[in-house]
Amino acid sequence: MTRVVLLGLDGFPHRAIRADLTPRMWDLAQRGGRAPAGGTTDLPSSTDPGFCSLLTGCKPATHGVRTTSWRYARLPGWVGVETPRVPAIFDACRAAAVRTAAMVADDRALLCTGSADRRWPPGGVIPHGIPLDAHGYPMNAAVHPHMMNAITDDSLGLVFGHLNEADTIGHDQGPESEAAQACYRETDRLVGELLDALVGRWADTIVVIVSDHDMQSRTALAPIDPMTSEADGRWDAYVPDGGAALVHLLPGVDPQRAADALLRIDGVETCEIANDSLAIVGAKPGRIFAAPRYSAGGFHGAPVTARTVALVGGGHPAVKPIADAIQRTRPHLADWAPTLAPLLGIDLGRVDGLNLAS
Ligand SMILES: [Zn+2]
């Protein structure tokens, strides 16, 4: 039976996968493969849209989760939805009687794990006494034993694991800080222990390691407030998500003319028209959208942080064609579920992502 292990490292920079800093992941990629420029995700390059894309195989326009800002406020309908409106890979596995596990530090973010057969935290509730990081998520070392238990359970076809500390430390102290570098190194050590535990059935095993987004350092540059005079008659509200923002276009406005106006705002680099009432703007490197509060060290959301870790390894024959594919073309987070589905013998139905190996 094929064993698929999918690891999501929250906020882990592609550039941190290096022989000297993260030798186990570097070695996995040397023997398997990696996307030389990393993978990609949509804007905002933030946690909830990214993991929903990873676990559903659909992009935000389809799964509906367009921002992580739901965590901080109840939001209006034009922003999208809080939980995905399409099934996750765990649902497709369940339909095909392929058993799954989801061992995650951030259950609130990973809105798609409810159908996994084994879950930690149980029922999405962090048990009392679990050591938490500065943002209230279980520490990597607290999730790791549950990942170890899952990957050594031969009844499971798919094990999804999520580690959060790189994101928390990147936000608080910056992605290039000594603390972040130490976290990247320690995360690699924990991943190495998982890889060691997989050796027994290596020929049946495919390991995919991704991150949901990159992280950039905070700067002293002024935050971007889209509610300038350009807004008059064109848009009336925005929801910031770090280096991107969702902008509500007024009824009857020509979206292309609104996009042209948004691109005239200082610090705005990209503008995508999502639908008649929603534009998604991305900031230039170093720029953040004006928000009620900011993290001190680092942030994401922008085009420059829409770069994900994308590694594949293992002894399964499917590793080579996937490795060749991601060497040539940057994989989107939504491509991983349709790439892994045929290996698990499951049917995802219609999804946006592409099977990288086909
Ligand atoms: Zn994240």
Side-chain angles (χ1 to χ4, degrees):
M1 186 177 87
T2 298
R3 173 173 59 181
V4 174
V5 177
L6 175 60
L7 297 180
L9 309 179
D10 209 301
F12 207 99
H14 164 75
R15 63 187 171 280
I17 307 294
R18 305 197 314 249
D20 60 329
L21 181 63
T22 51
R24 295 303 304 268
M25 288 192 274
W26 180 259
D27 175 65
L28 180 80
Q30 291 304 299
R31 291 183 290 133
R34 69 194 273 268
T40 63
T41 187
D42 294 286
L43 300 190
S45 51
S46 73
T47 304
D48 291 356
F51 276 113
C52 290
S53 296
L54 176 71
L55 295 173
T56 67
C58 292
K59 295 185 176 179
T62 303
H63 64 61
V65 178
R66 292 191 177 273
T67 174
T68 307
S69 299
W70 287 96
R71 295 176 193 222
Y72 310 108
R74 300 270 67 76
L75 299 173
W78 59 265
V79 180
V81 292
E82 194 172 0
T83 55
R85 55 187 172 214
V86 298
I89 191 169
F90 304 106
D91 298 289
C93 285
R94 179 163 283 224
V98 174
R99 295 191 72 243
T100 61
M103 305 304 183
V104 304
D106 183 357
D107 203 72
R108 171 60 190 78
L110 313 174
L111 306 157
C112 314
T113 61
S115 295
D117 294 297
R118 286 182 57 182
R119 289 175 79 198
W120 193 90
V125 180
I126 301 166
H128 187 70
I130 295 295
L132 304 178
D133 71 18
H135 291 190
Y137 301 113
M139 304 282 283
N140 289 356
V143 185
H144 185 256
H146 301 284
M147 288 185 182
M148 287 291 269
N149 281 340
I151 63 172
T152 51
D153 178 345
D154 286 341
S155 75
L156 296 171
L158 169 67
V159 175
F160 171 63
H162 168 265
L163 295 172
N164 195 72
E165 272 182 59
D167 184 77
T168 292
I169 293 173
H171 277 299
D172 289 354
Q173 301 183 59
E176 319 306 333
S177 66
E178 252 177 61
Q181 304 295 310
C183 174
Y184 305 149
R185 195 178 294 280
E186 176 61 14
T187 302
D188 185 68
R189 195 186 66 74
L190 293 174
V191 170
E193 288 185 10
L194 296 174
L195 297 175
D196 289 342
L198 292 169
V199 160
R201 285 178 51 216
W202 193 244
D204 302 327
T205 300
I206 177 162
V207 182
V208 170
I209 303 180
V210 301
S211 58
D212 52 345
H213 50 75
D214 200 334
M215 187 77 78
Q216 58 175 322
S217 300
R218 284 294 314 279
T219 68
L221 298 170
I224 304 166
D225 183 354
M227 300 314 292
T228 64
S229 57
E230 295 281 9
D232 289 345
R234 297 190 176 107
W235 59 89
D236 63 350
Y238 75 102
V239 170
D241 192 345
L246 308 180
V247 177
H248 181 241
L249 305 180
L250 291 167
V253 167
D254 175 359
Q256 193 51 53
R257 296 185 76 147
D260 293 344
L262 284 160
L263 286 165
R264 286 196 290 271
I265 296 173
D266 177 52
V268 171
E269 181 174 82
T270 63
C271 181
E272 171 201 344
I273 302 298
N275 57 52
D276 284 350
S277 57
L278 176 64
I280 301 172
V281 283
K284 292 177 178 169
R287 301 298 296 270
I288 194 167
F289 282 91
R293 69 182 90 80
Y294 307 101
S295 51
F299 67 107
H300 48 81
V304 75
T305 60
R307 183 187 300 276
T308 70
V309 171
L311 315 177
V312 63
H316 192 283
V319 170
K320 176 83 168 77
I322 297 172
D324 290 347
I326 65 174
Q327 171 77 30
R328 288 191 304 269
T329 308
R330 293 180 71 184
H332 187 281
L333 282 176
D335 294 334
W336 289 109
T339 299
L340 298 172
L343 308 179
L344 289 163
I346 63 168
D347 181 6
L348 288 175
R350 264 182 89 105
V351 293
D352 300 322
L354 304 171
N355 178 354
L356 296 163
S358 70

